[in-house]
């Protein structure tokens, strides 16, 4: 990743993150912290996944994690594992006040984020429901939001028999209190597969586009919902068809849980409605006072160059 700073001439913090599947969402959280701490004026955050070696396929096949049907049946009754996928995604982050000042197009606002660890769970690759609940509550607290103020969650949703029920239960526990309308969930993994190190940024891209369109796209391969989940008792609904967001400020949570045990959750909010682009700014005169016309021309030229 140092080559990127070298090519672009960037001087801020630069480091790779490896927490397995949650890597790029953890990187997003750390970039937000760097921006708040004034360590940088802008941040490039991304994830990339290339499948260059068969050993990963052999390992995950023996682990029983890969789908025999070739689909990620996220939250579906046919859930039998996930499909590995390649992908790359990059985000440019700035403080909201700076983006407004610079007239940048704003796609979405990061309201809050959090990272934690499973610690000792039922197994190294087994997800921890309590840890997932905790990371969501931390993100809500940092965003100063109530659980019912988030409309949907772009889930980790790998389509595994063990992981999906644990994630839905954690979502219901963290986002259920005070909720009068259902929490819609989906997973981009059902569309493009599991991009592993790039999975977090893929979920953020989907969430940002959903907020722009004010519509949550359908999550695939879940026509028959997982019977191990008590759907009728939980305020959770899978977006098997396109869902329009309710009126008001729209927000989507994004989850990414690494099999390393490191969890991340980010809450996105739709972009402010009154964005002032650089083309529509009001032009104001800059008044110069100099001893001579020649000096005034030179000073005006310096200001124009600056």
């Amino acid at each position: 990743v140092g080559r990127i700073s070298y090519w672009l001439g960037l001087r801020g913090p630069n480091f790779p993150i490896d927490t397995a599947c949650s890597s790029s969402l953890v990187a997003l959280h750390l970039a937000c912290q760097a921006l708040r701490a004034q360590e940088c004026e802008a941040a490039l955050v991304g994830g990339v996944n290339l499948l260059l070696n068969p050993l990963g396929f052999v390992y995950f096949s023996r682990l029983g994690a890969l789908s025999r049907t070739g689909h990620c049946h996220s939250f579906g009754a046919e859930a039998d594992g996930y499909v590995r996928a390649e992908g790359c995604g990059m985000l440019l982050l700035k403080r909201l006040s700076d983006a407004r000042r610079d007239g940048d197009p704003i796609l979405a606002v990061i309201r809050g984020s959090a990272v934690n660890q499973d610690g000792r769970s039922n197994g190294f690759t087994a997800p921890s429901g309590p840890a997932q609940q905790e990371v969501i509550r931390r993100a809500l607290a940092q965003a100063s939001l109530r659980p019912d103020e988030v409309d949907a969650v772009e889930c980790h949703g790998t389509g595994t028999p063990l992981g999906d029920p644990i994630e839905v239960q954690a979502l219901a526990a963290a986002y259920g209190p005070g909720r009068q309308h259902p929490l819609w969930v989906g997973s981009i993994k059902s569309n493009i597969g599991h991009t592993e190190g790039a999975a977090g940024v893929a979920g953020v891209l989907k969430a940002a586009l959903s907020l722009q369109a004010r519509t949550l796209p359908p999550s695939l391969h879940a026509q028959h919902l997982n019977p191990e989940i008590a759907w009728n008792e939980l305020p959770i609904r899978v977006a098997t068809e396109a869902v329009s967001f309710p009126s008001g400020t729209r927000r989507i949570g994004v989850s990414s849980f690494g099999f390393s045990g490191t969890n991340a959750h980010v809450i996105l909010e739709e972009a402010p409605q009154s964005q002032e682009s650089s083309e529509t700014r009001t032009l104001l005169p800059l008044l110069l006072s100099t001893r001579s016309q020649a000096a005034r021309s030179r000073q005006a030229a310096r200001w124009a160059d600056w």
Side-chain angles (χ1 to χ4, degrees):
V1 297
R3 289 177 175 268
I4 297 174
S5 291
Y6 172 75
W7 286 329
L8 300 179
L10 307 179
R11 302 290 294 276
N14 180 313
F15 45 88
I17 303 294
D18 182 8
T19 59
C21 320
S22 58
S23 297
S24 53
L25 208 62
V26 172
L28 181 66
H29 170 73
L30 295 176
C32 290
Q33 290 184 328
L35 285 165
R36 290 191 182 99
Q38 307 281 329
E39 293 178 346
C40 55
E41 295 301 313
L44 283 171
V45 178
V48 59
N49 198 51
L50 295 174
L51 305 176
L52 306 177
N53 191 304
L55 293 180
F57 288 93
V58 173
Y59 172 76
F60 287 115
S61 293
R62 291 179 175 176
L63 193 65
L66 299 186
S67 170
R68 295 177 178 272
T69 58
H71 293 296
C72 290
H73 297 91
S74 306
F75 312 115
E78 296 84 6
D80 63 344
Y82 59 84
V83 180
R84 303 184 76 202
E86 295 185 316
C88 175
M90 293 294 293
L91 304 168
L92 175 61
L93 307 185
K94 295 177 76 171
R95 291 181 288 270
L96 179 58
S97 57
D98 291 350
R100 283 171 160 166
R101 176 200 65 200
D102 298 337
D104 296 325
I106 302 171
L107 306 183
V109 177
I110 298 173
R111 280 293 302 265
S113 63
V115 168
N116 74 353
Q117 238 284 339
D118 286 348
R120 185 177 293 278
S121 59
N122 290 331
F124 180 65
T125 61
S128 168
Q132 292 180 17
Q133 294 178 39
E134 180 187 1
V135 78
I136 293 171
R137 292 187 178 115
R138 285 187 182 181
L140 282 167
Q142 193 196 74
S144 298
L145 292 172
R146 301 189 310 271
D148 64 326
E149 292 181 299
V150 176
D151 304 293
V153 171
E154 168 61 21
C155 298
H156 186 59
T158 53
T160 59
L162 176 65
D164 285 1
I166 291 175
E167 183 171 9
V168 171
Q169 291 289 344
L171 287 171
Y175 277 117
R179 179 169 295 277
Q180 300 299 317
H181 54 276
L183 179 74
W184 292 97
V185 300
S187 173
I188 195 173
K189 294 178 181 66
S190 69
N191 303 90
I192 65 172
H194 188 358
T195 51
E196 297 170 348
V201 71
V204 170
L205 291 172
K206 175 188 171 183
L209 291 170
S210 300
L211 289 170
Q212 283 187 294
R214 299 186 176 182
T215 302
L216 194 67
S219 196
L220 306 183
H221 314 307
Q223 289 77 14
H224 306 287
L225 295 179
N226 191 323
E228 300 300 319
I229 302 172
W231 298 104
N232 293 332
E233 302 173 12
L234 303 175
I236 309 286
R237 298 292 180 270
V238 179
T240 54
E241 298 179 350
V243 176
S244 297
F245 284 107
S247 58
T249 304
R250 299 158 181 87
R251 301 180 183 93
I252 300 179
V254 181
S255 289
S256 198
F257 307 135
F259 75 82
S260 64
T262 300
N263 309 306
H265 191 76
V266 172
I267 299 174
L268 298 187
E269 183 175 281
E270 65 179 335
Q273 295 301 310
S274 56
Q275 291 188 48
E276 185 182 84
S277 68
S278 56
E279 291 77 17
T280 60
R281 287 179 180 174
T282 301
L283 297 180
L284 300 174
L286 175 64
L287 304 181
L288 303 177
S289 176
T290 59
R291 291 180 179 272
S292 67
Q293 176 66 37
R296 187 159 65 248
S297 297
R298 289 194 298 269
Q299 183 69 358
R302 284 193 291 269
W303 274 105
D305 289 340
W306 184 81

